[in-house]
Amino acid sequence: MKVLILGAAGMVGRKLLESMSRDGKLGGKPVSEALLSDVVLPQVPDGLPFACSASQDDLPVPGTVERLIGARPDVIVHLAAIVSGEAEADFDKGYRINLEGTQRLFEAIRQAHGDARPGEGYYPRVIFSSSIAVFGAPFPERIGDEFFNTPLTSYGTQKAIGELLLADYSRRGFFDGIGIRLPTIAVRPGKPNKAASGFFSGILREPLNGQEAILPVSDDVRHWFASPRSAVGFLHHSAAIDTARLGARRNLSMPGLSATVAEEIEALRRAAGDKAVALIKHQPDPVIEKIVAGWPRDFDTARALELGFVADRDMDAIVQAHIEDELGGKLPAL
Amino acid sequence: MKVLILGAAGMVGRKLLESMSRDGKLGGKPVSEALLSDVVLPQVPDGLPFACSASQDDLPVPGTVERLIGARPDVIVHLAAIVSGEAEADFDKGYRINLEGTQRLFEAIRQAHGDARPGEGYYPRVIFSSSIAVFGAPFPERIGDEFFNTPLTSYGTQKAIGELLLADYSRRGFFDGIGIRLPTIAVRPGKPNKAASGFFSGILREPLNGQEAILPVSDDVRHWFASPRSAVGFLHHSAAIDTARLGARRNLSMPGLSATVAEEIEALRRAAGDKAVALIKHQPDPVIEKIVAGWPRDFDTARALELGFVADRDMDAIVQAHIEDELGGKLPAL
């Protein structure tokens, strides 16, 4: 099975490749080749149990997606995106990558499918990473599976449009799509990116590394989380799932953990003590406060749970996974 | 006030212009000029109480929407669309007009808005005619204002995407948009078009004209209706409304009348007798049956009603409006 990962240089893309490299499989099926694509050249790790190549691509440039699809990948994992904060700051860039890039990708697959009957010929599985940013306040206490999409960011708008296109192209039988709305990933390893949600990870990651972190919102802010491990698990399950079970509704909210910033802080305290917590500095940022106020806090993801997607148990498990996967199980001396 | 009507040669466009010509107003505000655009050259009626010009345009052709927006219309009524049946039959054509045409229009307005602050500079009211086709079965008994969009046609997908773009461009302050999901218009005057919903009008219009009509579905099919009078009323109200009352949720389902085909037939019987009803021939069409089965049947449009949009009273009123407006109050001798 040939797997194309778009956005392969990003955190989730790298974690996915790492997980595939362990047993050479995606969703339980053997991988023969991985094609990595990103706007920066993805690194090809040594010793992979399958063939692997990488290319540096700007998706909306004519010919780019056609070349990538020319390799006829069986599974396409579409993680490439301009993140929320940047898509809000740069209207053109966000629409160009998140909307036009996705449109061109789907269209290239349709062209490769050609005149084949629906569901036949070239008919890859397409896994589209969507986001809870497709929802916009005001919300019910828990957002159910039939709640409407009223994004309050351009990023959320672009993801919601990607979902609609994915569903229509799948309904037409051009490809076999599934769109998964990822919770906010925490603890996101590495350096902060431009996502407005970055602090949710930062207030755990930085102190666990012995460094200060900025908290730009109040600690009673509630949000919806998944660990990188869970996110990678969602992608494997999306590759394996029988999409007939989805019917025409190809997009769904992934299960997650609803927790407040205060609960994050208490999990940090249990794992690393008061000195770690003392590294969090509260510096209110009205721009981030406003964006975050438009975001969901809790979900009822009955559909995804019934379809076998699995969430994190609690915030302690999320912190523990980070310590194991990123810090070699060690905490800093504070 | 300058008004641009896109899709002005269509039924709703012509009815809107006719209603504007009566007192020279749109939504209670005096019209100085009307600009008519359509893929076929719209007719400019004689004796209008305002200036009027027409152009034949293919919206996605580069430069087209820029030229139309160059006139700086204060209100833009966007009715142009490939109808559901045709957008389903011709994938490329539907996406080209319904999605790309709308994208280009919104983008041209944004460019004309330029560097002005949000809500300032060139900042027209944009009225987007959306459709109940943004919803897809299975439904609750009545579709509420927060039910999600899972269209089962490409047309519905394109309309749902137009709604998302309208909301985002409005949120950004590039224009002042409102998207209204029109119920199925009945009785649609004139000749049948390629809409899969055409028979809902045909089974009233043709018999009221002394002609046979084909009913391609069972008479227990329930659907959601508005008369042309109501549709035009929605547009006037959309031009007049204080959009601050919409908040970020710029798209809403219009109020309508939920009725079965059998109820249509009984209203026809009350208006025109058994001989008119006998002109309806039941010829099941599996393609139309399948499309219609994915369409909504009833709505709870609390939001639109609270915002002052007004629906038809009953099916008798809808039939009567057609007899008055289209048949000069006369019935055929049967």
Side-chain angles (χ1 to χ4, degrees):
Chain A
M1 186 170 77
K2 213 182 271 191
V3 180
L4 169 63
I5 304 176
L6 302 171
M11 186 272 289
V12 176
R14 283 180 286 118
K15 293 261 174 200
L16 174 63
L17 186 69
E18 192 186 310
S19 74
M20 284 162 56
S21 76
R22 270 178 233 135
D23 62 356
K25 290 177 179 171
L26 173 63
K29 284 173 264 184
V31 174
S32 58
E33 186 176 355
L35 308 164
L36 313 180
S37 166
D38 206 308
V39 70
V40 296
L41 187 66
Q43 220 185 331
V44 177
D46 292 331
L48 290 174
F50 40 73
C52 186
S53 59
S55 57
Q56 182 174 358
D57 301 308
D58 186 19
L59 291 189
V61 169
T64 303
V65 286
E66 291 77 3
R67 173 173 46 75
L68 291 166
I69 297 306
R72 297 291 185 269
D74 302 290
V75 178
I76 298 156
V77 184
H78 180 19
L79 305 167
I82 300 297
V83 295
S84 57
E86 193 174 3
E88 200 62 16
D90 190 336
F91 185 87
D92 286 309
K93 189 172 182 182
Y95 271 91
R96 183 174 175 276
I97 302 297
N98 296 349
L99 178 49
E100 191 187 341
T102 298
Q103 275 183 299
R104 283 183 179 269
L105 171 68
F106 291 176
E107 198 49 29
I109 300 169
R110 180 171 84 98
Q111 295 302 329
H113 170 82
D115 293 329
R117 293 153 64 122
E120 298 185 1
Y122 178 60
Y123 182 68
R125 172 71 49 99
V126 176
I127 304 169
F128 175 59
S129 67
S130 186
S131 164
I132 55 173
V134 299
F135 301 104
F139 305 115
E141 204 174 301
R142 303 184 76 196
I143 297 178
D145 283 325
E146 300 194 339
F147 191 67
F148 68 162
N149 290 1
T150 54
L152 292 175
T153 58
S154 292
Y155 174 80
T157 301
Q158 292 143 12
K159 288 294 186 186
I161 294 174
E163 288 192 8
L164 284 162
L165 292 171
L166 177 111
D168 199 39
Y169 278 65
S170 295
R171 187 184 61 81
R172 292 277 193 155
F174 303 143
F175 60 68
D176 187 18
I178 176 169
I180 59 174
R181 291 179 205 123
L182 298 178
T184 293
I185 305 297
V187 181
R188 177 179 283 277
K191 299 207 168 148
N193 66 14
K194 289 188 189 174
S197 57
F199 72 88
F200 285 119
S201 283
I203 60 167
L204 299 176
R205 183 186 57 230
E206 267 47 287
L208 286 171
N209 209 24
Q211 294 175 354
E212 281 195 2
I214 305 299
L215 173 62
V217 304
S218 151
D219 75 354
D220 61 356
V221 165
R222 176 173 286 282
H223 199 60
W224 181 243
F225 298 102
S227 66
R229 279 188 193 176
S230 289
V232 166
F234 299 154
L235 295 171
H236 278 275
H237 194 61
S238 296
I241 203 171
D242 175 6
T243 52
R245 295 175 69 194
L246 299 174
R249 297 179 174 181
R250 295 276 179 157
N251 300 287
L252 62 169
S253 300
M254 290 291 100
L257 177 72
S258 177
T260 62
V261 167
E263 285 164 32
E264 285 193 84
I265 293 172
E266 288 318 303
L268 174 66
R269 196 186 308 276
R270 284 188 292 274
D274 292 337
K275 284 189 180 165
V277 170
L279 291 167
I280 301 172
K281 306 297 170 195
H282 189 205
Q283 291 181 9
D285 180 330
V287 174
I288 296 197
E289 278 173 338
K290 187 176 170 232
I291 292 178
V292 171
W295 282 351
R297 294 175 289 272
D298 196 4
F299 286 79
D300 175 0
T301 60
R303 240 188 120 209
L305 291 169
E306 194 190 309
L307 287 162
F309 290 94
V310 180
D312 296 286
R313 198 185 65 241
D314 54 27
M315 192 50 77
D316 293 310
I318 287 180
V319 169
Q320 209 49 50
H322 179 75
I323 295 170
E324 289 171 16
D325 292 355
E326 306 297 331
L327 306 174
K330 285 183 210 149
L331 291 171
L334 292 174
Chain B
M1 186 171 75
K2 215 182 267 192
V3 181
L4 169 63
I5 304 175
L6 302 170
M11 187 270 288
V12 175
R14 282 181 286 118
K15 294 260 175 202
L16 174 63
L17 185 69
E18 193 186 308
S19 74
M20 284 161 56
S21 74
R22 269 177 234 137
D23 62 356
K25 290 178 181 172
L26 174 63
K29 283 173 265 185
V31 174
S32 58
E33 186 177 356
L35 307 164
L36 313 180
S37 167
D38 206 308
V39 69
V40 295
L41 186 67
Q43 223 185 327
V44 177
D46 292 331
L48 289 173
F50 40 74
C52 186
S53 60
S55 58
Q56 183 174 358
D57 301 307
D58 187 18
L59 291 188
V61 170
T64 303
V65 286
E66 289 77 4
R67 173 173 45 74
L68 292 166
I69 297 306
R72 297 293 184 270
D74 303 288
V75 179
I76 298 157
V77 184
H78 180 19
L79 305 166
I82 300 296
V83 296
S84 57
E86 193 173 4
E88 199 62 16
D90 190 335
F91 185 88
D92 287 307
K93 189 172 183 180
Y95 271 92
R96 183 173 173 277
I97 303 297
N98 296 349
L99 178 49
E100 192 188 339
T102 298
Q103 275 182 299
R104 283 182 179 270
L105 170 68
F106 292 176
E107 198 49 28
I109 301 170
R110 180 171 85 99
Q111 294 302 331
H113 171 81
D115 292 329
R117 293 154 65 121
E120 298 185 2
Y122 178 60
Y123 182 67
R125 173 70 49 98
V126 177
I127 304 168
F128 175 59
S129 69
S130 186
S131 164
I132 56 174
V134 299
F135 300 105
F139 304 115
E141 204 174 300
R142 303 184 77 196
I143 297 178
D145 283 325
E146 300 193 341
F147 191 66
F148 68 162
N149 290 0
T150 53
L152 293 174
T153 58
S154 292
Y155 174 80
T157 301
Q158 293 143 10
K159 288 294 186 187
I161 293 173
E163 288 191 8
L164 285 162
L165 292 171
L166 177 111
D168 199 40
Y169 278 65
S170 296
R171 186 184 63 79
R172 292 278 194 156
F174 303 142
F175 59 67
D176 186 18
I178 175 169
I180 58 174
R181 292 180 204 122
L182 299 178
T184 293
I185 305 297
V187 181
R188 177 179 281 278
K191 301 207 169 150
N193 67 12
K194 289 187 188 173
S197 57
F199 71 88
F200 285 119
S201 282
I203 60 168
L204 298 176
R205 183 185 57 230
E206 265 54 282
L208 286 171
N209 208 23
Q211 294 175 354
E212 280 195 1
I214 305 299
L215 174 62
V217 304
S218 151
D219 74 354
D220 61 355
V221 165
R222 176 173 286 280
H223 199 59
W224 182 242
F225 299 102
S227 66
R229 279 188 194 176
S230 290
V232 166
F234 299 152
L235 295 171
H236 277 275
H237 194 61
S238 297
I241 202 171
D242 176 6
T243 52
R245 296 175 68 193
L246 298 174
R249 296 178 174 180
R250 295 273 178 160
N251 301 286
L252 63 169
S253 300
M254 290 292 100
L257 177 73
S258 177
T260 62
V261 167
E263 285 165 30
E264 285 193 82
I265 293 172
E266 289 317 303
L268 174 66
R269 195 186 309 277
R270 284 189 291 275
D274 292 339
K275 283 187 179 166
V277 171
L279 290 167
I280 301 171
K281 307 297 170 196
H282 189 208
Q283 290 180 9
D285 179 330
V287 174
I288 295 195
E289 278 172 339
K290 187 175 169 234
I291 292 178
V292 172
W295 282 350
R297 294 174 289 272
D298 196 4
F299 285 79
D300 175 359
T301 59
R303 239 187 119 210
L305 291 170
E306 195 191 307
L307 288 162
F309 290 94
V310 180
D312 297 287
R313 198 184 65 240
D314 54 28
M315 192 50 78
D316 293 311
I318 287 180
V319 169
Q320 208 52 48
H322 179 74
I323 294 170
E324 288 171 17
D325 293 353
E326 305 297 331
L327 305 175
K330 286 182 209 152
L331 291 171
L334 292 174

